[in-house]
Amino acid sequence: MPYLYGFDTGFLLFFIPAIILAMYAQFKVQSTFAKYLKVPNRKGYTGAEVARYILDANGLNDVRIERIPGALTDHYDPSKRVLRLSEPVYSQPSIASISVAAHESGHAVQHQRGYFPLIARNALVPIVNFSAQFTWILIILGLIMSSASLIDAGIILFSAAVLFQIITLPVEFNASHRALAMMSQSGIITDDERPKARAVLSAAALTYVAAAAVSIAQLLRLLLIRGDRD
């Protein structure tokens, strides 16, 4: 691998910019969420109430809503058909709370309607879990033993994780689009609240873009390392 003044150029070119983007995305989502968590929505709805409304409106009366600890730990579990909302989202009547709750409800609607990118992402989960355990073992062993085949196997496993991150992007963007549309059409938010809700959802989406960028950068760096072994 080429080096510049003793530094790994693959690391400088690919990984550092991606890490900077990831750090900015994390800061952006936390600051935006904190900002709009202090802004009450005009209808006084909590996140749990908005989630229940959207789920019921889409025929998902059997999907449970659970309160979970933490901040920004919200997610929809398709295997158990449970929507889990963090304490601030579940109970507070803020713009941030209802935006996050609507987004997670959007995933439940995707699941119900067979949204293909979500199906593809869920299908990759077992492969990604497997790759997380063995990718770096194979690559490190390959480097130690100078085995190109082991490095190749590790890169193939890591590529599954990259694909997972890429497929996640349309899943998340679509869930946010559904959230804004459902909140607007149902009158949950007013026209002047829509940009505030969009700001919350856009900040959250940036974290997924950053995660994909970090994965792609790491893959490119691994490919550079592999190229130097030929």
Side-chain angles (χ1 to χ4, degrees), residues 105-120:
S105 300
H107 286 312
V109 175
Q110 288 174 335
H111 185 217
Q112 176 205 40
R113 299 184 180 179
Y115 182 62
F116 178 74
L118 179 67
I119 294 173

Side-chain angles (χ1 to χ4, degrees), residues 147-171:
S147 171
S149 59
L150 285 177
I151 297 174
D152 288 344
I155 290 174
I156 290 171
L157 284 180
F158 189 76
S159 297
V162 175
L163 180 60
F164 179 86
Q165 295 290 353
I166 292 173
I167 293 177
T168 292
L169 295 178
V171 173

Side-chain angles (χ1 to χ4, degrees), residues 28-39:
K28 184 68 174 177
V29 69
Q30 289 179 353
S31 60
T32 303
F33 181 78
K35 175 182 177 180
Y36 288 106
L37 192 61
K38 300 174 184 176
V39 180

Side-chain angles (χ1 to χ4, degrees), residues 29 33-34 37 46-49 51 64-76 82-94 96-102 104-105 200:
V29 69
F33 181 78
L37 192 61
T46 64
E49 289 171 337
R64 303 193 319 276
I65 300 174
E66 294 181 354
R67 188 193 318 237
I68 57 173
L72 296 175
T73 51
D74 315 88
H75 63 279
Y76 170 66
V82 175
L83 186 64
R84 299 189 177 100
L85 301 178
S86 60
E87 175 56 38
V89 171
Y90 187 97
S91 61
Q92 294 193 30
S94 68
S97 298
I98 63 173
S99 298
V100 172
E104 298 305 332
S105 300
V200 173

